[in-house]
Amino acid sequence: MTNNSLQHSSGHNKGLHPRNRHKEGYDFAALCAAYPPLSDHLIRTTYGNTSIDYAEPAAVKHLNTALLLDGYGIKQWDIPHGFLCPPIPGRVDYIHYIADLLKASNHNKKAFKLLDVGTGANGIYSLLASQIYGWACTASDIDPLALDNVTTILASNPALETKITLRLQAQKSKIFTGIILPGEYYDVTVCNPPFHASLEEAVKGSHRKSKNLAANRQSTTTTKTPTLNFGGQKAELWCKGGEAKFIRMMIKESLLFAQQCQWFTTLVSKADNVAPAKKLLRKQKATDIKEISMHQGNKITRILAWRYS
């Protein structure tokens, strides 16, 4: 596209956190200035706006690279083929809402320590929390390839390299055990649990998403066949029992570390999984349980937060 076509930004992202810099949409002119390779993936919508084809994996990844560089000074962000490509505005929202939660609980404290459970190859929560708020983060994952990629990203960002510690979870049936070490204390944990219960379910879900992207995509000068745009390894997209079982495991194990963490939190994508989780937390005598709703357009995602003292 020519430079004059970059003056159009994408539409308002209604419902995002007030501090979310993406709540007014994307300034593609600024993004392309910061990261020129993004310009090769721009399209013109039927409404005359500049956007990208969200059904194209390369376009989405380049958009993320540009957003992280332009908005947060995170250099050389990339993920290997087949790994989860996160939607940046929603991930930023999670961190801002967690910041509000911590501020409300610790009025005079400014420096916090965060545990990012299942950081993936993108390392997004630790990267954002460290860069936006300066928090010290520990990022865990069961996949050494994922952690290797985050190591590569950190090598290009020396200031973040000193704030983020990476840990491999060697016990695939555990979440906090072996990661929260004796004598350590965290202010909060964050997690985006595997959504699906099986590979078959994950594949069906990804094809549904691809079809929806194609159906909702505004027309461009060229028509392309939609492909899956977010990838995702097994540990990122599915586990036996799906989101409900993973959250149940997390809640049960959190009790063992009640004295080493103030707030435990997780995203809950399926609304039906909230009530059973709260019931289990009450059974485990959690002293404070909060449900925080995040809105991005018509999509609603919940943060479930709990503590024991």
Side-chain angles (χ1 to χ4, degrees):
M1 301 185 76
T2 58
N3 286 337
N4 60 3
S5 68
L6 300 181
Q7 302 308 311
H8 299 280
S9 299
S10 63
H12 177 81
N13 281 322
K14 60 182 180 179
L16 291 176
H17 189 282
R19 292 196 302 278
N20 195 319
R21 66 180 295 123
H22 309 296
K23 65 181 183 294
E24 300 299 332
Y26 302 143
D27 183 343
F28 282 99
L31 291 173
C32 289
Y35 183 67
L38 177 63
S39 62
D40 293 336
H41 298 277
L42 298 183
I43 60 172
R44 175 75 75 189
T45 72
T46 54
Y47 298 105
N49 296 322
T50 299
S51 186
I52 65 164
D53 185 346
Y54 288 95
E56 286 293 329
V60 175
K61 188 163 76 167
H62 278 78
L63 174 62
N64 277 9
T65 303
L67 288 170
L68 292 171
L69 178 60
D70 178 60
Y72 308 98
I74 298 171
K75 303 174 183 177
Q76 300 296 318
W77 183 88
D78 196 6
I79 52 172
H81 177 74
F83 279 84
L84 191 64
C85 193
I88 301 300
R91 301 308 192 241
V92 172
D93 248 30
Y94 192 175
I95 295 301
H96 283 315
Y97 278 109
I98 291 303
D100 292 345
L101 179 70
L102 293 176
K103 183 178 180 180
S105 308
N106 307 269
H107 299 289
N108 298 317
K109 189 174 180 180
K110 295 182 179 179
F112 295 105
K113 190 172 182 181
L114 174 146
L115 172 60
D116 177 8
V117 175
T119 193
N122 57 71
I124 198 66
Y125 291 125
S126 293
L127 293 170
L128 291 172
S130 294
Q131 195 70 335
I132 296 172
Y133 291 107
W135 298 345
C137 300
T138 297
S140 69
D141 206 277
I142 64 171
D143 188 346
L145 294 179
L147 294 181
D148 285 347
N149 191 69
V150 181
T151 299
T152 300
I153 297 171
L154 293 177
S156 298
N157 297 272
L160 294 179
E161 201 169 17
T162 61
K163 296 177 183 177
I164 299 175
T165 300
L166 304 181
R167 286 184 185 161
L168 179 67
Q169 175 54 273
Q171 304 177 66
K172 294 186 178 182
S173 62
K174 302 295 183 182
I175 296 172
F176 302 116
T177 301
I179 299 300
I180 300 180
L181 303 180
E184 284 188 334
Y185 181 83
Y186 290 91
D187 296 284
V188 67
T189 70
V190 297
C191 181
N192 182 23
F195 184 77
H196 299 288
S198 67
L199 175 60
E200 181 182 13
E201 183 181 309
V203 170
K204 288 181 179 178
S206 64
H207 281 296
R208 278 197 304 273
K209 182 172 182 178
S210 181
K211 289 179 180 179
N212 289 337
L213 284 168
N216 294 328
R217 186 178 57 209
Q218 295 165 338
S219 64
T220 65
T221 54
T222 59
T223 301
K224 299 179 181 179
T225 301
T227 54
L228 304 185
N229 78 324
F230 58 94
Q233 300 292 301
K234 171 187 180 296
E236 295 178 308
L237 288 181
W238 69 275
C239 67
K240 187 176 180 180
E243 181 182 74
K245 183 176 180 180
F246 189 93
I247 292 174
R248 187 164 62 248
M249 289 170 54
M250 178 182 291
I251 290 173
K252 289 182 177 179
E253 196 175 343
S254 71
L255 187 58
L256 301 176
F257 297 89
Q259 304 306 312
Q260 290 183 263
C261 184
Q262 182 184 20
W263 284 102
F264 298 89
T265 79
T266 183
L267 289 181
V268 185
S269 295
K270 297 181 180 180
D272 291 345
N273 291 337
V274 174
K278 288 183 175 179
K279 181 178 180 181
L280 178 56
L281 285 167
R282 289 191 291 268
K283 182 179 179 180
Q284 293 198 168
K285 309 299 183 185
T287 56
D288 202 352
I289 304 169
K290 295 184 181 295
E291 180 184 347
I292 303 167
S293 294
M294 298 191 300
H295 299 259
Q296 187 174 359
N298 295 322
K299 180 182 178 181
I300 300 176
T301 305
R302 292 144 288 274
I303 302 171
L304 181 64
W306 67 96
R307 60 179 175 176
Y308 295 98
S309 60

